[in-house]
Amino acid sequence: MWKGWLGLMIGYCCCSNVLAVQHATLALGMIDGKAWQAEGVSLQLQLTEPLAMKLEIASLHLPSLPQALHKVEITCPHIEYRADLIACAKAQLSLPALSKTVADLSFQYHPATQKIQLKLQSWAVAGGTLAGEVESAGEQIQVDLQASQLNLASLLKNLEIPPETAMNLAGIAQFKVKATMGGQHSQVQVDGQTTRLYFSSADASHAGEQLNLAFNIKAKQNQDAWQINSDLKLLAGEILSQPLYIKLEKNKPIEASLAANYQDNALHLQNFQYHHADILNLGAQGKFKFSTPFTVENLRVMLPKTLLQPVYKAYLQEGAEKESALSSLQLRGDIALQLDWDQEQGTFRSQLHDIHVEDTNKRFAFHGLDGELIWGSEKADAPSYLNWQAGFIAKHIPLGASGLKAVLQGHSIRLLGALNQPVLDGAFQIDKLHLHDVGLETMHGDFSANLQPISLPALCTALDFPKLNGQLSGSIPSVRYHQDGIDLGGALTVQAFDGEMIIRTLHIDKLSSRSPILSADIAVKQFDLATLTQVTEFGEIQGRLSGKIQGLKMVNWQPIAFNALLITPKDDDSTHLISQKAVNNLTSLGGNGAINALSRGVLSFFENFSYERLGWGCRLENGVCEMRGVEDAPNGYYIVKGGGLPRIDVIGYNKRVNWDVLLNRLKAVTKLQKPIIK
């Protein structure tokens, strides 16, 4: 471009002596090159002494900028003209998009060699300065550019780059560029650093603050290929790229290096290294095709054996949602990762060695995890295995040693064979598990399992519940998982206390959060009260019990609402006896419960009493239990309605009781010692 304009100047200067032309204006319209385009170009020449020129460009398009540069002007008030030299020692550049001030330039043109030299003096731009030199000789151009203390936010504002085409950017940058371009042996070197760098994507899923980094880029051309080497060192700051969050600690920088070859629109990544001091080292190689569409021809990423806790703390913990389990883990052990990907298939391998993971809120833990997890694309189906030595759930329910074998393929997980997990003195066995669309909003799956008998006393002790007798067992016909929630298909049947419990409409929402929400309807059929009360300290009761718990809602496994009624079935023809201790405890449980006068008179003479029916109901809402019994009584309700001899009636008068108070009473009466009968 420069050579064309200067040639025109020479021609006009020569003709001016003959034609006595003093001024000339050339409307050049549009001029373009391989990597630029100028529109509205005009050149004004003063051809009398002193020679002068003014070049105006309405808009200049450069491939590195999304917006054109407007109103570009270069003026020279005094052109030195000789046969062997055209020069301007005091030219000025006006570029409003970069700076409100004009830049001082000098240039020289040697007609014999067509050599051009352009020098930019220190130019105030975006709170900093730009300076540099450009030299062109033949097909070769040399560039030496320095930028100091550039305010990136001001620079973007001046360039009027639309927000949708770039990240929000702020901070201070300085860099040096040395380049030799032209022919088949070009080379470029960029050295720079930033301080207090800030960036943010439009959706805020990627952001960085207070970043101090230094970088170096070298690119060297050999024929049609470019060899690229780059180094970056991040010294301070914070980065969020969901779900990862990194806050650099003092003296623990992140360093990255790259060696690659670019040829024929393809990038061959020869070596990439990522090093975070005292935390991890990661390496990669691959080949990428920059065509339409962009393709990954092959890629290998490797993380050698690495301690898990430092990686979790540095990259995952702070970025996790506060209510999620991922935000509060204690980890030990190490992990190794390898990703292999090509156009045919991909495989991701994770080797776990002696890993211990425990939720600090005591929701779960697994100890001694060992195995190899292999995720494959749709064409890969290598099996994964995982074994563990122990663990717990819900604070105090212990898990024994177990393991699984599965296929992780595409967006699906399929269990190979049953998983038998010892729980307390029983086991939970998963017979079928097949999840689809894993990681997608449409994630769903099929699940069936059975619970092998677990001792209720052990389970109640683990859950800090009132002690119950018997065993717990049952089957889960099918379960559907969708969007962090579980829905029960059909009915869950649990055998306990010589009867059964049937759970319907079971739904668990926000399963992975700190406060899961459970809702269900429960039916109790023919529980044997003798079995239920035999080993508790509540007192023995003989007979059967049935009823319903409707609208059960639990948050973080604690009930907040339900409507329950548990009573003697009308068709129960078994023996109905209740011990003196059970009578006393039922009376205490009711708060202001009372025994009628006739019953009170015989209470101390008998250890067991006959009853017709017993029952207890509670509608829990807003922390208050509205209580009722088997039927209404004068000014109250029957908890126990006597029948036969010796008979006894227990009547409750307090219909509204604080739920926490009631629960504490229930825990207390189950721990009472055997009373002394006088």
Side-chain angles (χ1 to χ4, degrees):
M1 184 170 81
W2 276 98
K3 294 175 183 178
W5 293 337
L6 291 174
L8 287 169
M9 289 174 59
I10 295 170
Y12 268 94
C13 290
C14 294
C15 294
S16 65
N17 295 327
V18 178
L19 301 176
V21 177
Q22 297 182 357
H23 299 279
T25 299
L26 299 178
L28 302 177
M30 184 180 73
I31 303 175
D32 58 18
K34 290 183 179 180
W36 57 271
Q37 184 182 74
E39 297 176 348
V41 181
S42 68
L43 180 65
Q44 300 176 26
L45 297 173
Q46 177 179 302
L47 301 176
T48 59
E49 292 294 337
L51 296 176
M53 63 153 264
K54 182 178 182 180
L55 175 67
E56 295 179 329
I57 303 174
S59 59
L60 177 62
H61 300 269
L62 300 175
S64 57
L65 296 177
Q67 295 284 95
L69 300 176
H70 300 290
K71 297 181 179 179
V72 182
E73 293 185 3
I74 299 177
T75 59
C76 178
H78 186 180
I79 297 175
E80 180 185 353
Y81 171 72
R82 302 197 306 264
D84 61 343
L85 177 68
I86 298 176
C88 182
K90 296 182 178 182
Q92 289 187 325
L93 168 66
S94 175
L95 190 55
L98 283 181
S99 177
K100 294 181 179 180
T101 64
V102 296
D104 293 327
L105 296 174
S106 63
F107 66 81
Q108 294 182 349
Y109 175 63
H110 302 268
T113 61
Q114 293 191 329
K115 181 179 179 180
I116 298 174
Q117 293 174 301
L118 175 67
K119 186 173 183 179
L120 173 67
Q121 307 296 332
S122 182
W123 182 26
V125 174
T129 59
L130 281 178
E133 296 182 17
V134 178
E135 183 175 304
S136 172
E139 294 184 355
Q140 192 174 77
I141 299 176
Q142 291 184 333
V143 178
D144 189 347
L145 179 66
Q146 302 90 39
S148 178
Q149 300 297 311
L150 292 183
N151 186 304
L152 297 176
S154 297
L155 182 62
L156 292 180
K157 182 179 179 181
N158 292 343
L159 291 173
E160 298 181 347
I161 297 177
E164 62 271 13
T165 63
M167 285 190 170
N168 295 322
L169 196 63
I172 304 300
Q174 54 189 39
F175 57 84
K176 294 181 180 180
V177 179
K178 287 183 177 293
T180 300
M181 307 295 293
Q184 296 182 332
H185 298 282
S186 300
Q187 58 184 13
V188 179
Q189 180 171 338
V190 182
D191 297 279
Q193 64 185 54
T194 69
T195 55
R196 304 189 304 278
L197 179 66
Y198 164 86
F199 70 87
S200 175
S201 62
D203 61 0
S205 61
H206 307 283
E209 288 187 353
Q210 298 296 315
L211 300 175
N212 294 344
L213 62 88
F215 59 90
N216 169 274
I217 302 171
K218 295 179 181 178
K220 189 173 184 180
Q221 183 186 21
N222 185 7
Q223 303 298 327
D224 294 330
W226 282 85
Q227 181 64 35
I228 304 168
N229 295 85
S230 178
D231 296 289
L232 180 146
K233 189 171 186 178
L234 182 59
L235 301 170
E238 303 174 52
I239 297 176
L240 170 67
S241 182
Q242 293 180 347
L244 304 180
Y245 171 81
I246 310 167
K247 183 176 182 179
L248 270 75
E249 298 180 26
K250 188 177 181 180
N251 300 323
K252 290 187 178 182
I254 292 175
E255 298 178 85
S257 63
L258 175 148
N261 183 273
Y262 183 82
Q263 186 176 16
D264 296 332
N265 213 29
L267 181 71
H268 178 206
L269 183 62
Q270 299 159 326
N271 185 29
F272 173 79
Q273 294 294 324
Y274 178 95
H275 172 71
H276 193 167
D278 300 331
I279 296 175
L280 64 83
N281 290 285
L282 183 146
Q285 299 87 36
K287 187 174 183 180
F288 311 92
K289 194 76 172 180
F290 292 91
S291 55
T292 304
F294 172 81
T295 56
V296 179
E297 293 193 356
N298 59 75
L299 176 65
R300 169 170 284 188
V301 181
M302 294 169 292
L303 177 71
K305 187 180 290 187
T306 300
L307 291 176
L308 200 52
Q309 177 66 19
V311 175
Y312 165 72
K313 184 178 178 181
Y315 288 85
L316 295 173
Q317 186 173 25
E318 292 298 327
E321 294 183 10
K322 297 303 180 183
E323 295 298 316
S324 71
L326 191 60
S327 68
S328 54
L329 297 178
Q330 288 291 334
L331 295 165
R332 287 190 290 117
D334 52 65
I335 188 171
L337 306 174
Q338 181 170 316
L339 170 67
D340 289 288
W341 186 274
D342 59 36
Q343 293 177 296
E344 296 296 324
Q345 65 180 24
T347 304
F348 180 77
R349 296 175 181 269
S350 173
Q351 294 179 327
L352 290 75
H353 176 66
D354 195 27
I355 287 178
H356 301 259
V357 52
E358 183 170 333
D359 173 37
T360 56
N361 294 304
K362 302 299 180 182
R363 287 172 291 187
F364 64 87
F366 287 93
H367 301 292
L369 281 162
D370 283 283
E372 183 176 31
L373 301 179
I374 305 173
W375 171 86
S377 60
E378 299 297 338
K379 296 183 179 181
D381 59 355
S384 300
Y385 71 92
L386 185 64
N387 300 309
W388 53 92
Q389 299 304 313
F392 68 78
I393 56 174
K395 293 186 180 181
H396 302 297
I397 299 178
L399 304 176
S402 187
L404 62 83
K405 191 175 182 180
V407 170
L408 316 180
Q409 185 179 35
H411 288 285
S412 73
I413 298 176
R414 176 167 52 90
L415 190 65
L416 299 176
L419 188 164
N420 189 276
Q421 174 60 65
V423 181
L424 292 169
D425 55 352
F428 182 71
Q429 180 167 303
I430 300 176
D431 298 309
K432 178 184 178 181
L433 175 64
H434 196 172
L435 298 177
H436 308 269
D437 295 344
V438 177
L440 305 177
E441 291 186 0
T442 56
M443 178 175 168
H444 60 284
D446 303 313
F447 171 79
S448 64
N450 66 83
L451 183 63
Q452 299 169 9
I454 292 176
S455 166
L456 277 174
L459 181 61
C460 292
T461 299
L463 294 175
D464 195 27
F465 283 179
K467 191 181 295 181
L468 300 174
N469 188 28
Q471 292 182 322
L472 184 65
S473 63
S475 62
I476 303 173
S478 79
V479 171
R480 181 175 181 269
Y481 177 87
H482 181 64
Q483 293 184 343
D484 202 29
I486 286 179
D487 287 293
L488 179 67
L492 168 61
T493 302
V494 179
Q495 287 77 41
F497 312 118
D498 198 31
E500 66 179 14
M501 178 188 299
I502 302 173
I503 304 174
R504 293 185 174 90
T505 64
L506 175 66
H507 176 74
I508 303 177
D509 197 19
K510 299 181 180 179
L511 185 62
S512 63
S513 74
R514 289 186 178 181
S515 299
I517 301 173
L518 178 148
S519 60
D521 293 310
I522 301 172
V524 174
K525 293 186 177 182
Q526 298 292 331
F527 272 15
D528 179 20
L529 287 171
T531 303
L532 181 62
T533 60
Q534 186 178 15
V535 297
T536 69
E537 297 177 350
F538 187 83
E540 185 178 1
I541 304 175
Q542 296 182 30
R544 294 279 174 173
L545 189 71
S546 295
K548 295 180 178 180
I549 305 173
Q550 295 180 311
L552 172 64
K553 186 173 183 179
M554 303 178 74
V555 176
N556 196 23
W557 314 116
Q558 299 299 317
I560 63 168
F562 61 77
N563 185 10
L565 181 61
L566 303 172
I567 61 174
T568 304
K570 291 183 179 180
D571 59 351
D572 179 24
D573 57 1
S574 63
T575 301
H576 291 179
L577 289 177
I578 182 169
S579 68
Q580 183 189 104
K581 181 178 180 181
V583 169
N584 286 330
N585 285 335
L586 281 174
T587 304
S588 173
L589 191 61
N592 292 327
I595 304 172
N596 65 20
L598 178 60
S599 299
R600 189 180 301 279
V602 300
L603 183 60
S604 60
F605 294 100
F606 299 95
E607 190 166 342
N608 295 294
F609 301 89
S610 177
Y611 69 90
E612 179 184 345
R613 298 183 76 194
L614 60 76
W616 175 80
C618 168
R619 181 191 294 273
L620 175 62
E621 189 174 3
N622 297 324
V624 175
C625 176
E626 293 186 5
M627 297 202 297
R628 61 192 186 277
V630 67
E631 63 179 64
D632 290 338
N635 301 317
Y637 52 89
Y638 284 105
I639 298 175
V640 178
K641 186 173 183 181
L645 292 174
R647 67 169 286 164
I648 194 166
D649 293 326
V650 178
I651 301 173
Y653 294 105
N654 192 349
K655 292 186 177 182
R656 291 175 61 84
V657 179
N658 180 278
W659 171 250
D660 292 332
V661 172
L662 182 62
L663 198 60
N664 288 333
R665 286 178 187 169
L666 183 59
K667 292 179 181 180
V669 297
T670 59
K671 298 178 182 179
L672 292 177
Q673 298 298 318
K674 185 174 180 179
I676 299 174
I677 299 184
K678 297 181 181 179

